[in-house]
Amino acid sequence: MVENQRQALKVLQYVYNTKTALNFGALFADGTDSYRHPAELKIGDSVTLRFRTGRNNVDAVYLVYNGERCNMQVESSDELFDYYAYTISEVTDDIDYYYMVLAGNVICYYNKLGTQKDLNPDYNFQIAPGFSVPKWARGAVFYQIFVDRFYNGDPSNDVEDNEYCYIGEGTRKVKDWFKYPDNMDVRSFYGGDLQGVMDKLDYLQGLGVDVIYLNPIFVSPSNHKYDIQDYDYVDPHFGKIVKDGGECLPEGCKVNKEASKYIMRVTDKANLEASNVLFAQLVEEIHKRGMRVILDGVFNHCGSFNKWLDRECIYENQEGYEKGAYVDYQSPYRSFFKFQDPWQWPYNGTYNGWWGHDTLPKLNYEESEKLYEYIMRIGEKWVSPPYNVDGWRLDVAADLGYTEEFNHRFWRDFRTRVKKANPDALILAEHYGDPKAWLLGDQWDTVMNYDAFMEPITWFLTGVEKHSDEFRGDLLGNPDAFTGALRHHMSRFNQNSLEIAMNELSNHDHSRFLTRTNRRVGRIHTMGPEAAGENINKGVFREAVVFQMTWPGAPTIYYGDEAGLCGWTDPDNRRGYPWGREDQELIQFHRDVIKVHKDSAALMKGSVMFLHGEYKVVSYGRFLPGEAVVVILNNDYEPHELNLHVRRLGVQDGAVMKACITTTESGYQMDETEYVVANNKLKITVGPISAVVLKYTEPSV
């Protein structure tokens, strides 16, 4: 009998290790510290690369880097896996690599897409020695604030009715904080300011926020301030007005030379310096609380009010200011802009505007070393004392300059200068499309993660495009489109860039995610603002937030999302934060799910692996040695029973996984329901419109 058992075991082992029994699910590697150590290399460091296979399941594993094939050796084993390793000494140049696995007659490859029969080098792993990103940003919870709509802490600095004219009409002071934004909203001001941010720091800290991202705060005539007037100073309407006077424009007047009140407020150095002091105090208070802050850098273009151009002639006769390039051919700033007609001075309006907008003059770096150096100094200034900002979010960063070659040169220099001023500063860019050329270690740290986060989850859960401009039934609940998009777009990142990517569900440029759950196509001028809040589904929104807090990257909350704020795309997405009308249950849900995020090392910095996909249902795992998390999203109106192969996450048979949080269409619960892994599978039934997060922690010896 014993001999028969021994022979049967031999046969079983033989079968398991032949061609048909290669355990593809056990094959794994990525760029996390478990599989690349150190995960970030200094130039000249050695690096150990690891590859995971099933225990005694393959014949050989080769590391292929820069065209060289190296035989990897088993470094360690556990009950489930063998870990092959190879060390590359003294890395000085970039490395491109993948793995080759041999098992019987089977040969397969492994790269960023996982196991492959045929190799596509576009998806190879990369190492960029010398490329490091701020450790504080890994998995950090960001909170984006559109300042004018967050909280009015100082009514004395509010923009007045007809204080000045912008895009053909006078400014408007909105007296009803809860009023819906107008379709043409750019000149309407609700009064939010930096004192308002200061007043709400307790709230943000209690929510679990680590980093505050402020939309532009520098002097500017618009409420969004992406048309900067003076890069050296915080707008006194957001800061402090200590010297006030003058008059607003008389009714019907559109000549800003006559806007004496506005001119005093934004050109008098007493107001400008006081505003900068207030901002420094705000940053200091944020830092005291263990939080950080990043600013919005708009360096591709400025505004037509900008002191270098002075299209509105508000600086023309002010003491301490040079003539603007629009005003005078002899202006020291003439080279800052590209003029099409060299003979139109004075008052030359033929400058290039970004996308043709004359209110957004494009900056002409190629022909102005003075401008180039000025903006480099601005980059340094705000991350240095006394402001000590923790980094920059870069607006339309890939558009800067007139050629791609110049664009890359600019951002290389910008990175060098900013990191020298503050080595721990974050450089994060707004970017749509493939960011790889900017994420090679010499330019940006990371990007706003549209392609590898916002778009895939939006299509999967809502079927609606991120502006609410299109509905795609073929993408709603489509697991292959969802996982395929994520795999492809995540492959364009280095691992360290991916771990700090800004993962947003909503922001100032797109519709609110809660509005997208109504699965309607519309904008404020087509549907009206009330429709943005009709037929919304908070259960679907909770699924999205669970995904946000459990996916690799830095989850970023757009102010008010956590309180149930709705809105179509710009400008309706910029409603006032609903103070006193908040959805308190949603706020508490955010507090709880943020805690789940922060309490898990696997969620903060672990590897990721898809476990299951079917129509409207996906599951994935996050894991590192000693801990594994399973996440399930069921966007169907029916319950689903799943059998998940959690062995692939390192969870052994008989292990107990505990629920951390379970959401439903009507709410959520924090419980510790236990599920026992049997036959190497986690069997679980998930309810309709729900998300479940389960956690396994290896028992301490």
Side-chain angles (χ1 to χ4, degrees):
M1 184 71 173
V2 173
E3 181 60 27
N4 289 341
Q5 289 177 336
R6 187 179 295 114
Q7 289 299 323
L9 182 59
K10 278 180 143 182
V11 171
L12 183 62
Q13 288 176 333
Y14 172 77
V15 171
Y16 193 75
N17 286 282
T18 57
K19 173 180 176 181
T20 56
L22 173 60
N23 186 354
F24 288 101
L27 304 181
F28 188 80
D30 63 10
T32 63
D33 191 66
S34 297
Y35 296 92
R36 179 195 295 168
H37 185 76
E40 290 184 338
L41 281 69
K42 297 177 182 177
I43 294 175
D45 280 354
S46 297
V47 61
T48 297
L49 300 175
R50 297 185 178 90
F51 188 82
R52 192 190 79 178
T53 72
R55 181 79 179 266
N56 299 322
N57 188 234
V58 306
D59 295 325
V61 178
Y62 294 95
L63 168 70
V64 184
Y65 77 96
N66 294 353
E68 181 180 352
R69 192 170 81 172
C70 305
N71 191 8
M72 303 181 75
Q73 301 297 320
V74 176
E75 179 188 57
S76 63
S77 301
D78 56 31
E79 292 187 20
L80 301 178
F81 306 114
D82 289 331
Y83 298 89
Y84 287 75
Y86 186 88
T87 299
I88 304 173
S89 300
E90 297 181 6
V91 179
T92 57
D93 298 312
D94 290 358
I95 291 177
D96 177 281
Y97 70 97
Y98 61 92
Y99 300 96
M100 183 170 69
V101 180
L102 278 64
N105 295 324
V106 176
I107 298 176
C108 64
Y109 304 95
Y110 197 97
N111 59 17
K112 286 184 176 182
L113 289 185
T115 305
Q116 305 293 304
K117 181 180 178 181
D118 300 307
L119 195 67
N120 183 340
D122 284 345
Y123 297 101
N124 288 351
F125 295 102
Q126 292 92 31
I127 295 175
F131 181 23
S132 63
V133 301
K135 289 183 173 56
W136 58 262
R138 281 186 168 87
V141 176
F142 284 62
Y143 190 92
Q144 178 185 349
I145 295 178
F146 191 88
V147 178
D148 182 60
R149 307 295 162 83
F150 185 59
Y151 187 66
N152 189 344
D154 180 6
S156 72
N157 62 17
D158 291 357
V159 175
E160 299 294 338
D161 288 334
N162 288 321
E163 186 173 319
Y164 54 98
C165 178
Y166 190 54
I167 314 183
E169 298 292 339
T171 56
R172 181 183 181 191
K173 179 178 180 177
V174 177
K175 299 175 178 64
D176 177 5
W177 181 263
F178 301 106
K179 177 188 174 299
Y180 293 125
D182 296 321
N183 187 42
M184 180 54 179
D185 182 63
V186 66
R187 63 179 82 87
S188 297
F189 294 87
Y190 284 57
D193 48 34
L194 295 184
Q195 185 59 51
V197 177
M198 182 86 82
D199 292 347
K200 295 300 182 180
L201 288 180
D202 284 348
Y203 166 72
L204 297 176
Q205 189 174 13
L207 191 63
V209 170
D210 298 306
V211 186
I212 297 171
Y213 154 42
L214 298 173
N215 283 115
I217 62 170
F218 304 119
V219 182
S220 157
S222 68
N223 54 40
H224 58 68
K225 303 205 177 300
Y226 283 96
D227 44 3
I228 290 175
Q229 187 170 327
D230 190 336
Y231 290 91
D232 280 299
Y233 295 102
V234 169
D235 194 315
H237 297 96
F238 281 0
K240 283 282 186 184
I241 296 176
V242 295
K243 186 176 179 182
D244 210 355
E247 301 294 332
C248 295
L249 289 175
E251 190 68 34
C253 178
K254 298 181 179 181
V255 180
N256 282 321
K257 283 184 180 181
E258 308 300 321
S260 57
K261 187 178 191 70
Y262 180 71
I263 292 172
M264 175 177 287
R265 284 180 158 192
V266 300
T267 69
D268 192 282
K269 291 298 174 64
N271 293 329
L272 298 172
E273 295 293 349
S275 297
N276 281 10
V277 168
L278 175 65
F279 177 66
Q281 292 169 347
L282 173 62
V283 176
E284 183 179 12
E285 180 59 30
I286 290 170
H287 286 167
K288 282 181 182 177
R289 294 166 178 261
M291 297 189 290
R292 295 177 184 264
V293 59
I294 65 171
L295 292 181
D296 215 319
V298 189
F299 303 133
N300 165 69
H301 56 271
C302 61
S304 56
F305 279 56
N306 190 282
K307 63 184 179 183
W308 301 330
L309 184 71
D310 199 18
R311 172 70 180 253
E312 302 300 313
C313 304
I314 64 174
Y315 293 95
E316 185 175 7
N317 299 309
Q318 298 306 306
E319 185 178 347
Y321 293 94
E322 304 273 9
K323 298 289 187 183
Y326 169 82
V327 174
D328 193 335
Y329 178 82
Q330 300 296 329
S331 168
Y333 310 121
R334 183 165 60 88
S335 65
F336 287 24
F337 308 94
K338 187 183 287 288
F339 290 90
Q340 299 303 315
D341 188 338
W343 308 108
Q344 279 205 19
W345 278 278
Y347 311 123
N348 189 340
T350 68
Y351 54 87
N352 283 3
W354 183 59
W355 280 36
H357 296 294
D358 63 1
T359 56
L360 303 175
K362 186 168 176 62
L363 293 170
N364 184 31
Y365 293 97
E366 284 91 335
E367 297 176 8
S368 180
E369 283 298 320
K370 182 178 179 180
L371 170 63
Y372 197 93
E373 177 60 25
Y374 199 116
I375 294 298
M376 291 295 159
R377 290 202 306 269
I378 290 296
E380 295 169 328
K381 171 179 177 174
W382 294 98
V383 300
S384 303
Y387 309 109
N388 299 310
V389 165
D390 298 290
W392 289 100
R393 177 267 189 189
L394 306 171
D395 186 59
V396 294
D399 287 8
L400 184 142
Y402 285 96
T403 66
E404 187 170 324
E405 179 183 6
F406 182 86
N407 181 278
H408 288 301
R409 175 197 153 191
F410 180 93
W411 293 123
R412 288 186 187 101
D413 289 347
F414 186 85
R415 181 182 185 86
T416 298
R417 297 282 290 268
V418 169
K419 295 286 187 176
K420 184 177 180 181
N422 182 348
D424 221 16
L426 176 68
I427 299 176
L428 180 155
E430 177 191 25
H431 187 68
Y432 298 84
D434 189 346
K436 186 174 180 179
W438 289 271
L439 297 180
L440 299 177
D442 58 348
Q443 295 169 72
W444 309 335
D445 286 323
T446 193
V447 295
M448 300 177 74
N449 199 3
Y450 290 116
D451 294 333
F453 181 80
M454 183 190 282
E455 291 207 7
I457 193 61
T458 293
W459 287 121
F460 181 76
L461 291 182
T462 74
V464 176
E465 185 266 345
K466 61 184 180 293
H467 285 285
S468 293
D469 281 345
E470 180 184 10
F471 178 79
R472 290 278 303 273
D474 60 319
L475 296 180
L476 173 62
N478 186 327
D480 295 329
F482 177 65
T483 58
L486 287 168
R487 282 193 175 105
H488 168 72
H489 292 296
M490 288 168 68
S491 75
R492 316 317 290 163
F493 292 76
N494 276 299
Q495 182 71 30
N496 53 1
S497 292
L498 184 65
E499 290 175 351
I500 63 170
M502 181 177 274
N503 290 348
E504 292 187 295
L505 297 171
S506 318
N507 63 26
H508 62 289
D509 284 327
H510 304 96
S511 59
R512 295 272 181 174
F513 192 94
L514 191 52
T515 287
R516 280 175 240 154
T517 67
N518 67 17
R519 298 178 183 172
R520 298 175 71 177
V521 172
R523 294 201 174 203
I524 189 172
H525 66 282
T526 62
M527 301 293 289
E530 292 84 2
E534 294 173 355
N535 302 312
I536 58 173
N537 191 319
K538 293 179 185 177
V540 174
F541 178 54
R542 279 185 283 267
E543 288 182 75
V545 176
V546 167
F547 178 67
Q548 181 182 43
M549 295 296 166
T550 57
W551 194 250
T556 303
I557 300 167
Y558 184 43
Y559 82 99
D561 266 11
E562 80 282 11
L565 208 56
C566 294
W568 301 111
T569 198
D570 170 20
D572 196 37
N573 54 16
R574 302 170 183 180
R575 300 181 183 185
Y577 184 100
W579 300 111
R581 302 180 182 181
E582 308 95 317
D583 185 321
Q584 293 293 346
E585 185 183 46
L586 273 183
I587 290 175
Q588 187 58 48
F589 166 69
H590 276 80
R591 290 192 186 106
D592 288 335
V593 76
I594 287 172
K595 187 175 188 303
V596 169
H597 169 79
K598 291 186 174 184
D599 285 349
S600 170
L603 293 179
M604 293 287 284
K605 58 184 179 181
S607 301
V608 63
M609 178 185 291
F610 287 106
L611 298 175
H612 178 80
E614 61 182 278
Y615 181 58
K616 292 193 175 181
V617 180
V618 291
S619 177
Y620 53 91
R622 300 290 306 279
F623 61 101
L624 43 64
E627 184 183 316
V629 173
V630 170
V631 183
I632 306 165
L633 306 178
N634 178 15
N635 202 42
D636 198 358
Y637 282 96
E638 300 292 334
H640 282 252
E641 182 179 289
L642 304 181
N643 288 282
L644 302 175
H645 293 268
V646 294
R647 177 188 179 102
R648 299 160 61 191
L649 307 178
V651 180
Q652 296 188 35
D653 201 35
V656 175
M657 300 202 73
K658 293 183 179 181
C660 302
I661 189 168
T662 302
T663 74
T664 66
E665 191 169 17
S666 60
Y668 76 101
Q669 59 187 23
M670 309 290 293
D671 61 37
E672 292 192 349
T673 302
E674 295 185 349
Y675 298 84
V676 178
V677 177
N679 299 318
N680 296 310
K681 293 181 180 179
L682 172 68
K683 184 176 181 179
I684 181 172
T685 299
V686 290
I689 310 297
S690 67
V692 183
V693 181
L694 306 108
K695 184 176 179 181
Y696 164 76
T697 304
E698 189 174 289
S700 56
V701 179

